[in-house]
Amino acid sequence: VKVEQGTVCGVKEILPDGGVFHAFRGIPYAKPPMGELRFRAPQPLERFSYPVLDCSKERDVSFSRNMFTQELEGSEDCLHLNVYTPAQDPDRPDPSRLPVMVFIHGGAFMFGSGNSDCYSPEYLLQEGVVVVTLNYRLGSLGFLHLPSQGIEGNAGLKDQLLALKWVHQNIAQFGGNPTNVTLFGESAGAASVHLHLLSPVSQPYFHKAICQSGVSVMEWVMQRDSVERTRTLARLLDPEAKTDEQVYRTLMAANHVELMGLMVSTLSADEKRRGLPMPFKPVVEESVGPDTIVAVHPIVAMQQPDRLPEIPIMMGNNNGEGIIMMLDASKKLDLYDNDMARMVPRSVNVAPESPACEQLGNEIKQFYFGTNGVNEATVNQLADLMTDYHFGILANTCAELHARYQHRSPMFFYDFSYDGELNMYKRLLQLKIPGACHADELSYLFKMRLADFDVGQDTPAGRVRRTMCRLWTNFAKYGNPTPAIDDRLACRWEPVDKIDARAPADAFQLKYLDIGAELKMGVNPAKERIDFWRGVYRKWNETFLKVKL
């Protein structure tokens, strides 16, 4: 296939239904961000290094530690993407171009890649779409911030945007429609999608958005004290790095292994205590230029009426997101039992370590655990608290802000509750708490090649996978996951009703699709728990929507 930068040569593979697809893996979409380009916005690649580039196998991922093996992997030369496209029947060539789905992987902005060990898109391809997965710079290499030295921050987000521009420029050659691109992502990838959705520089390059278990207003997304963190990292390498120029030179000279290895040492005691061990991540950029993605804080942006164009969005959470936090939390139940104030969100306007904060901690403990406290018998309740603290509360805030202020953008909300054979993260991490864990929905969209596990299409899990792929690709095709044209889905997914920005607090109702063994519509997921938090924010912040930055 001929693209702007040269010619790529891919491979033919077989789909589970017997059809054929073409895979073009490891396509470079930018100059390697090394040497003088380290930490900076990516530069477009003019030409490949060979006239015909072998894209039969994946190239390096962003340098990081593999979540499953704990081995170091990848390099700084990581800006590659993968294009997968269903083969056209030569006897019946289809003149219409296919919808394109571009996926941004999660991994706390610290690990992961777009590669097929976790994200092989055969089941999506069977629904008639082109899928693109990509790598972007992670950790300090992707999110260091030192504006005095020209490092504006968000290099990893700018990588994603350059990949979107590459898709816009080249995807027609692969049978994809550049005027129908859906940007979707999970966790940190979903928060990235949401930041692009709020960004006027990114908006022209996609037409629909899906945020799975992550939006930009969640507490774990935006970096605090980013410049001070950069200086701390440099001084861990060289205590003599006093001025910003010395800090910059130290970081430019450092080995990438050291840069990534020392990241966690920049975390504050409060970040560690709260279980938010994500040091380098997006920032609000100080100077606004043509490639500035985050010019204002997302909470502020969400309250600007009609900041979003007519881009429909699907967003939602899994009902047991917090189960993944129990890997760590289950080892320190007594710490949570004795210090519940660590679970007071930073977005609540109460001074940390104050008597009021301790009192609120006790109220949280009473609500979730009653008189039992935190112990082996109440780990399910602790998982619920983790779900709400990290995901649930601010997903509700985001949905309500969207309904009140973003009237041009239709929103479909979901709660994924299916707990079955393809809940691969729960399976691989051997977690036994009931519910759908963080990232568990991914294996109902993608094949996880590293797990070497599959189910038949007519098993309960196989049917949920077929339904999920249908909902997601319908949305990519039509901007509606259950269009009238598709009579094979048993339930109509209704969008969230828009309300006036000034409507009273109880005017907002969060309509959602419960994705379980069957599909059903509901209102206000985890209502009792979210109502408790609405009360907390009313007391301390005046309203649920006034989030302390």
Side-chain angles (χ1 to χ4, degrees):
V1 173
K2 266 196 170 57
V3 294
E4 290 285 330
Q5 295 76 19
T7 300
V8 292
C9 182
V11 288
K12 238 186 217 183
E13 295 184 17
I14 303 299
L15 291 167
D17 68 3
V20 174
F21 72 99
H22 298 146
F24 301 85
R25 297 188 171 99
I27 303 175
Y29 65 85
K31 289 177 182 165
M34 298 164 74
E36 287 303 304
L37 297 181
R38 181 187 265 185
F39 306 129
R40 296 186 181 271
Q43 300 295 310
L45 185 69
E46 278 94 43
R47 305 293 301 163
F48 296 139
S49 44
Y50 301 97
V52 178
L53 194 65
D54 176 4
C55 292
S56 59
K57 56 180 190 289
E58 293 156 347
R59 289 183 165 80
D60 272 0
V61 302
S62 180
F63 182 72
S64 56
R65 194 172 288 285
N66 185 294
M67 178 184 168
F68 295 106
T69 65
Q70 294 301 308
E71 302 286 320
L72 291 172
E73 62 182 9
S75 74
E76 286 190 71
D77 181 4
C78 63
L79 299 183
H80 306 118
L81 53 77
N82 310 304
V83 178
Y84 303 89
T85 180
Q88 303 265 353
D89 181 342
D91 300 329
R92 288 184 299 122
D94 181 0
S96 63
R97 300 198 184 284
L98 297 174
V100 181
M101 299 185 76
V102 178
F103 182 73
I104 303 179
H105 71 81
F109 299 107
M110 283 172 70
F111 46 82
S113 81
N115 285 356
S116 57
D117 52 353
C118 291
Y119 305 112
S120 202
E122 288 90 324
Y123 293 98
L124 291 167
L125 298 178
Q126 287 183 169
E127 301 293 338
V129 294
V130 171
V131 177
V132 179
T133 63
L134 59 105
N135 303 333
Y136 55 97
R137 281 172 282 176
L138 301 169
S140 51
L141 292 166
F143 294 94
L144 197 93
H145 187 216
L146 194 62
S148 70
Q149 303 301 304
I151 299 173
E152 301 296 344
N154 298 337
L157 295 177
K158 292 166 187 174
D159 295 342
Q160 298 163 4
L161 176 56
L162 189 58
L164 274 174
K165 290 177 176 176
W166 188 96
V167 167
H168 181 76
Q169 185 183 50
N170 292 304
I171 207 66
Q173 308 306 116
F174 298 88
N177 181 352
T179 65
N180 186 5
V181 174
T182 298
L183 188 60
F184 71 130
E186 186 268 344
S187 193
S192 300
V193 170
H194 200 249
L195 287 168
H196 290 297
L197 186 64
L198 290 168
S199 165
V201 300
S202 304
Q203 287 168 356
Y205 298 99
F206 63 100
H207 313 92
K208 302 171 180 98
I210 305 175
C211 297
Q212 300 168 214
S213 309
V215 285
S216 61
V217 303
M218 288 178 182
E219 278 199 15
W220 46 265
V221 178
M222 298 303 291
Q223 196 180 159
R224 295 174 171 224
D225 303 325
S226 52
V227 173
E228 206 40 57
R229 190 185 303 280
T230 295
R231 292 172 183 147
T232 302
L233 181 64
R235 286 165 197 157
L236 288 166
L237 289 156
D238 176 7
E240 297 304 305
K242 299 284 193 284
T243 68
D244 275 2
E245 193 182 341
Q246 290 167 329
V247 163
Y248 174 67
R249 283 210 300 268
T250 300
L251 295 169
M252 288 297 282
N255 179 294
H256 60 281
V257 181
E258 292 178 305
L259 280 176
M260 297 301 258
L262 289 169
M263 287 194 305
V264 178
S265 305
T266 68
L267 291 167
S268 68
D270 184 60
E271 286 169 320
K272 289 178 189 164
R273 172 176 172 241
R274 290 174 181 279
L276 291 170
M278 298 165 57
F280 289 93
K281 47 197 182 181
V283 296
V284 177
E285 295 170 55
E286 285 189 10
S287 62
V288 178
D291 66 350
T292 303
I293 292 176
V294 189
V296 292
H297 195 285
I299 283 278
V300 176
M302 282 300 294
Q303 294 175 66
Q304 295 172 344
D306 289 333
R307 183 180 177 101
L308 298 186
E310 291 164 11
I311 294 180
I313 180 172
M314 257 167 63
M315 61 183 265
N317 287 338
N318 298 350
N319 72 340
E321 298 280 4
I323 296 169
I324 204 163
M325 313 295 171
M326 299 307 293
L327 273 176
D328 181 57
S330 59
K331 299 176 197 149
K332 27 179 127 152
L333 296 176
D334 55 326
L335 282 181
Y336 287 94
D337 194 44
N338 297 322
D339 174 23
M340 194 47 78
R342 65 175 58 215
M343 299 306 288
V344 173
R346 289 192 299 200
S347 50
V348 173
N349 194 18
V350 58
E353 322 248 347
S354 64
C357 192
E358 292 301 317
Q359 172 58 31
L360 178 50
N362 288 331
E363 289 169 26
I364 294 168
K365 189 171 172 181
Q366 179 62 38
F367 176 77
Y368 282 87
F369 305 96
T371 53
N372 300 324
V374 183
N375 53 49
E376 293 285 347
T378 56
V379 289
N380 292 13
Q381 287 73 25
L382 183 56
D384 282 344
L385 173 54
M386 294 286 185
T387 297
D388 299 340
Y389 176 88
H390 291 289
F391 298 94
I393 302 167
L394 287 160
N396 273 267
T397 306
C398 188
E400 183 166 345
L401 288 171
H402 196 105
R404 285 179 183 272
Y405 294 101
Q406 306 306 329
H407 286 185
R408 292 188 298 176
S409 166
M411 173 174 57
F412 297 88
F413 198 92
Y414 72 85
D415 191 60
F416 179 84
S417 62
Y418 187 68
D419 186 358
E421 282 193 281
L422 288 171
N423 291 48
M424 295 308 295
Y425 278 73
K426 207 167 140 172
R427 214 184 162 93
L428 290 168
L429 301 169
Q430 300 179 320
L431 296 158
K432 299 283 183 269
I433 297 168
C437 168
H438 189 58
D440 265 355
E441 88 288 1
L442 287 168
S443 291
Y444 295 88
L445 296 168
F446 293 99
K447 185 172 175 168
M448 197 178 198
R449 290 191 172 195
L450 72 80
D452 194 28
F453 174 81
D454 208 355
V455 297
Q457 60 174 8
D458 286 324
T459 59
R463 285 194 287 276
V464 172
R465 176 170 60 196
R466 196 162 61 228
T467 299
M468 282 273 288
C469 288
R470 177 66 51 79
L471 292 168
W472 262 239
T473 55
N474 274 344
F475 182 73
K477 291 170 186 174
Y478 311 111
N480 180 341
T482 55
I485 198 169
D486 187 349
D487 54 9
R488 286 171 293 186
L489 291 164
C491 177
R492 182 170 175 270
W493 187 348
E494 296 172 34
V496 177
D497 294 327
K498 303 293 185 192
I499 57 172
D500 187 85
R502 294 174 306 282
D506 59 2
F508 176 68
Q509 299 294 314
L510 183 53
K511 281 187 191 172
Y512 72 99
L513 182 71
D514 178 3
I515 303 176
E518 306 295 330
L519 301 178
K520 55 180 186 286
M521 286 300 296
V523 181
N524 302 329
K527 181 178 189 314
E528 192 187 341
R529 288 169 13 214
I530 297 302
D531 281 350
F532 166 77
W533 286 105
R534 284 181 173 273
V536 168
Y537 281 80
R538 261 200 310 279
K539 178 176 176 182
W540 293 102
N541 295 35
E542 293 176 54
T543 81
F544 187 56
L545 302 179
K546 274 198 180 171
V547 173
K548 181 179 129 196
L549 295 184

